Amino acid sequence: MPQHNYIERHQKENGKYQGAFQLWDKDRKKEARIPKNKSKMARTLFGLKAKLYNKKRHADNVQMKKAKKLHEEKKHEDRDPQNVPEGAVPAYLLDREGVNRSKILSNTIKQKRKEKAGKWAVPVPKVKAMTEDEMFKIMRTGMRKKKQWKRVIDKVTFVGENFTRKPPKYERFIRPMALRFKKANVTHPELKTTFFLPIVGVKKNPQNHMYTTLGVITKGTILEVNVSDLGLVTPSGKIVTTKYAQVVNEPSNDGTVNCVLLV
């Protein structure tokens, strides 16, 4: 057994405070002093440090109050003037007349509903993270090939119609022509039909924000595609020109971009 972790092992097997009341008491007192120490710091600090500390403390307090509210479940009563019983009512029932009792939903449930409503039900919810070595290839430049600041993108990319390349000498990220795609196979999940539609742009690459700006297309990427040929119409009667679609394959391996339309 290694000599340096016998204390940690003993604590795991027997518990931290087994037969050590003094240690438990010491930790308890230390925890009880935390709020006092925080308030003392808030009083003694000044200048920029005080500003930053108080801002952080305020955020913590707000978070704590929110957490408390999440666990609360109250009963809600509101009077309904129309719901009045006919005939004479005993005195002890006068306060109860026309009252609707409804249990307020816990804030946690409300929060979950809000989150669920704001999320897309995407076909590929999780993707495997990619390393920079998979994404880029180092390009050596200079007379003696000692400079290594240029990168060649090994994955499929999308560049717009009006894309103008930088002068090769100053271009940091090189997107090879053979790996530039302008169209994708988009499957409509309800119609069960696939269309070959032009790509308008890369909305979000789950790997990295930088890959989104470079227009890199990997599995799980959200693309904006031109659906004007499909004849989709909004409830108000306007023609839908673009919609989002998620890439469900690895385009650099398959040589084609396959997406599912987010309806």
Side-chain angles (χ1 to χ4, degrees):
M1 187 186 82
Q3 295 300 305
H4 62 280
N5 63 356
Y6 59 92
I7 295 172
E8 287 86 345
R9 185 174 174 183
H10 183 272
Q11 284 177 356
K12 276 182 187 175
E13 288 174 357
N14 308 303
K16 192 177 179 183
Y17 302 119
Q18 190 187 12
F21 175 76
Q22 285 179 340
L23 180 62
W24 172 81
D25 202 38
K26 187 182 172 187
D27 283 359
R28 180 187 63 80
K29 287 177 178 175
K30 189 179 179 182
E31 202 172 323
R33 281 196 299 270
I34 288 170
K36 290 185 177 179
N37 292 340
K38 281 184 176 178
S39 62
K40 190 182 177 184
M41 272 189 80
R43 288 196 307 273
T44 52
L45 285 172
F46 59 90
L48 186 62
K49 275 189 180 178
K51 252 186 186 178
L52 294 170
Y53 184 77
N54 287 324
K55 190 180 177 184
K56 186 179 178 294
R57 200 165 175 227
H58 174 71
D60 291 344
N61 288 339
V62 169
Q63 198 63 37
M64 188 176 66
K65 282 177 184 174
K66 278 183 183 175
K68 275 185 183 177
K69 273 187 183 177
L70 288 176
H71 298 292
E72 285 178 4
E73 200 171 80
K74 301 172 186 174
K75 281 188 177 177
H76 178 60
E77 291 185 0
D78 60 330
R79 291 189 176 277
D80 187 3
Q82 293 176 357
N83 187 17
V84 178
E86 291 179 5
V89 180
Y92 64 88
L93 288 178
L94 283 171
D95 290 340
R96 300 187 196 176
E97 71 180 42
V99 173
N100 287 334
R101 284 181 180 81
S102 60
K103 213 171 193 183
I104 291 179
L105 282 170
S106 161
N107 284 341
T108 46
I109 299 164
K110 284 183 185 175
Q111 194 64 31
K112 278 180 186 173
R113 280 183 182 174
K114 278 181 187 174
E115 284 173 9
K116 202 174 181 183
K119 279 184 182 173
W120 289 103
V122 289
V124 185
K126 286 184 181 179
V127 288
K128 187 187 170 188
M130 281 187 180
T131 59
E132 279 199 16
D133 296 335
E134 288 178 87
M135 193 68 73
F136 301 119
K137 188 170 72 180
I138 296 168
M139 186 179 186
R140 292 173 176 268
T141 53
M143 198 168 73
R144 291 179 180 81
K145 305 292 179 191
K146 284 194 174 182
K147 293 174 183 175
Q148 300 180 23
W149 59 276
K150 287 191 178 187
R151 297 287 181 272
V152 178
I153 299 170
D154 275 348
K155 300 289 173 188
V156 166
T157 55
F158 166 77
V159 292
E161 290 291 330
N162 302 322
F163 172 71
T164 308
R165 203 179 153 190
K166 282 184 183 177
K169 189 177 178 181
Y170 305 110
E171 191 177 29
R172 172 130 199 251
F173 295 104
I174 297 158
R175 287 168 270 198
M177 287 289 290
L179 290 172
R180 291 186 197 175
F181 279 60
K182 289 184 179 178
K183 287 195 171 186
N185 299 311
V186 182
T187 305
H188 197 294
E190 290 170 7
L191 300 174
K192 307 287 183 192
T193 318
T194 305
F195 305 94
F196 194 50
L197 302 174
I199 301 167
V200 177
V202 177
K203 184 68 180 171
K204 185 160 178 31
N205 189 313
Q207 300 290 343
N208 197 326
H209 175 67
M210 185 178 73
Y211 303 153
T212 306
T213 55
L214 288 170
V216 178
I217 302 171
T218 55
K219 190 176 182 178
T221 305
I222 305 291
L223 300 177
E224 196 173 357
V225 290
N226 189 346
V227 293
S228 53
D229 295 343
L230 304 188
L232 299 174
V233 183
T234 60
S236 60
K238 290 182 180 177
I239 296 167
V240 179
T241 53
T242 59
K243 265 185 116 41
Y244 294 136
Q246 190 183 32
V247 179
V248 291
N249 72 321
E250 195 57 66
S252 54
N253 295 347
D254 301 340
T256 179
V257 181
N258 298 334
C259 317
V260 174
L261 205 67
L262 302 178
V263 181

